[in-house]
């Protein structure tokens, strides 16, 4: 049982995340890769900016991983999240989950990204041609 | 008691800075929120916000001590 | 909408599969990577051998992908499956699914691996120290 | 009518070969299964098996024509 949680301001290394969770004891790995879309509600996105409250974000992500290990029989989990300016097509988040059986890997990976989006103090600003907006800030 | 409050995302824009000294008469999360909303009415226009004390989400009744790390957490949007 | 379905007798290229589905129109990619476990029901596995009825396996995997595209709003799907001898830790299958939103990517990826294991004519022989067995062949 | 039947996985082991000529009086999937099970009783011991005709799973009533590609599909275990 191990979890590697990181916030990085350089391009995330997807292969590294996958290799880190691979193990002879595992039969299935589920990987979620977030990517920056070129559109939000039909509007062209130029780029995103991610800001994190790093210490707390790491601690909240660690809690999510701990909870996933409690709930499913997992072998290992990697969560890497970007900060800084990301262009369309770049990768804000990679989550890799390895388990003996695929059910656990799929369910835990889904749980981790869903919960991360709800509780981890990281903020995303969308930059459009005609302005910018902090996502989810306003009702 | 003066505490330093950290701001992120839209709250940083509202404060115009990433960290702000606040003079607290009553050292609780509820009192801090009330004070901030008086000083920055725009805080009431955002969808919601939480207070974190020492890197943990804090309830309204939680006390705040002198050397606590206090942060305003607007709606998160990571991932 | 595109699907790339392949049966290969060389090591699968996970990075290639992921890069193939990445696109500016997508916000989420889910990837399932099967790996050869060192144990089955407590017994040490030395290696696996995969055999495919290739033409039909491709056609069944294409049906699964088509059905996934009908059912979820997906952007692209890659399914690569190995044949031949695989050692512990090697990768028999990679499934990468890209969609505008993560729900579709997760659900479709899960559907594809679950259905693949039920309908696609590929067979796996487990080789132990003291014998070998075609998986699932006997009740 | 003689057809060539393809065998995979455990069925290849049962047949001792990957392809087998079968003389069919009645050209249907049900008749083929009956005939094979008479000749290879071990087929009845496996969990289940399907017949594929021209790369499609075939029902019991499906006719088999001279140049169809016919295959025995024991329980699959890919992935």
């Amino acid at each position: 049982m191990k979890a590697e949680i990181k916030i990085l301001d350089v391009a995330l290394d997807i292969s590294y995340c996958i290799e880190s969770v691979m193990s002879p004891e595992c039969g299935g790995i589920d990987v979620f890769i977030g990517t920056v879309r070129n559109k939000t509600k039909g509007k062209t996105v130029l780029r995103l900016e991610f800001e994190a409250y790093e210490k707390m974000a790491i601690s909240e992500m660690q809690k999510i991983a701990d909870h996933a290990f409690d709930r499913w029989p997992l072998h290992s989990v990697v969560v890497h999240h970007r900060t800084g300016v990301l262009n369309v097509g770049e990768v804000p988040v990679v989550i890799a989950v390895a388990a003996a059986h695929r059910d656990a890997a799929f369910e835990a990976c889904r749980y981790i990204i869903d919960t991360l989006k709800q509780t981890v103090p990281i903020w995303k600003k969308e930059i459009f041609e005609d302005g910018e907006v902090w996502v989810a800030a306003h009702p | 008691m003066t505490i330093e409050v950290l701001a992120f995302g839209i709250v940083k824009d509202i404060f115009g800075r990433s960290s702000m000294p606040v003079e607290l008469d009553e050292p609780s999360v509820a009192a801090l929120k009330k004070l901030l909303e008086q000083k920055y009415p725009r805080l009431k226009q955002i969808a919601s916000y939480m207070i974190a004390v020492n890197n943990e989400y804090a309830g309204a009744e939680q006390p705040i001590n002198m050397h606590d790390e206090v942060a305003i957490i607007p709606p998160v949007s990571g991932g």
Side-chain angles (χ1 to χ4, degrees), chain A, chain B:
Chain A
M1 164 172 161
K2 72 179 171 64
E4 179 185 304
I5 313 286
K6 278 189 182 164
I7 292 178
L8 298 158
D9 62 359
V10 292
L12 302 187
D13 184 339
I14 299 170
S15 298
Y16 167 86
C17 295
I18 294 173
E19 279 156 27
S20 297
V21 300
M22 276 197 170
S23 144
E25 291 143 59
C26 291
I29 298 171
D30 194 43
V31 185
F32 177 74
I33 301 158
T35 53
V36 177
R37 279 180 74 197
N38 58 7
K39 286 212 183 330
T40 296
K41 292 165 192 159
K43 223 174 152 184
T44 300
V45 172
L46 297 185
R47 61 182 188 277
L48 297 183
E49 287 177 28
F50 283 87
E51 180 183 340
Y53 180 14
E54 284 208 21
K55 229 179 349 166
M56 181 172 171
I58 293 280
S59 132
E60 287 293 321
M61 289 195 277
Q62 186 64 55
K63 279 185 202 169
I64 296 171
D66 290 348
H67 191 207
F69 275 106
D70 288 344
R71 194 158 154 194
W72 291 279
L74 306 179
H75 181 267
S76 52
V77 168
V78 169
V79 183
H80 283 193
H81 203 297
R82 267 298 297 276
T83 52
V85 176
L86 276 81
N87 292 307
V88 169
E90 287 195 274
V91 174
V93 65
V94 178
I95 299 169
V97 179
H101 301 286
R102 73 184 184 285
D103 295 47
F106 269 106
E107 288 171 21
C109 188
R110 184 70 201 264
Y111 165 79
I112 292 168
I113 180 64
D114 287 355
T115 313
L116 183 155
K117 284 175 173 270
Q118 288 164 6
T119 66
V120 176
I122 297 178
W123 298 270
K124 170 165 61 191
K125 187 159 68 174
E126 286 170 338
I127 289 99
F128 304 104
E129 274 171 12
D130 60 352
E132 51 183 55
V133 62
W134 286 105
V135 176
H138 289 101
Chain B
M1 175 178 93
T2 302
I3 58 163
E4 197 70 23
V5 172
L6 304 176
F8 297 93
I10 189 144
V11 176
K12 198 164 68 178
D13 291 353
I14 292 172
F15 287 1
R17 54 206 285 190
S18 62
S19 158
M20 157 95 77
V22 175
E23 179 62 35
L24 264 188
D25 295 332
E26 188 197 324
S28 80
V29 164
L32 172 63
K33 283 182 124 174
K34 198 172 156 194
L35 201 87
L36 290 171
E37 287 173 19
Q38 277 165 355
K39 203 166 164 191
Y40 299 96
R42 282 177 64 200
L43 270 181
K44 287 183 279 187
Q45 289 158 22
I46 68 175
S48 68
Y49 67 96
M50 303 278 283
I51 305 292
V53 176
N54 298 327
N55 300 293
E56 300 281 347
Y57 288 108
E61 301 310 311
Q62 186 163 327
I64 295 174
N65 298 307
M66 188 71 124
H67 297 291
D68 286 345
E69 183 174 310
V70 177
I72 319 292
I73 313 286
V76 302
S77 51

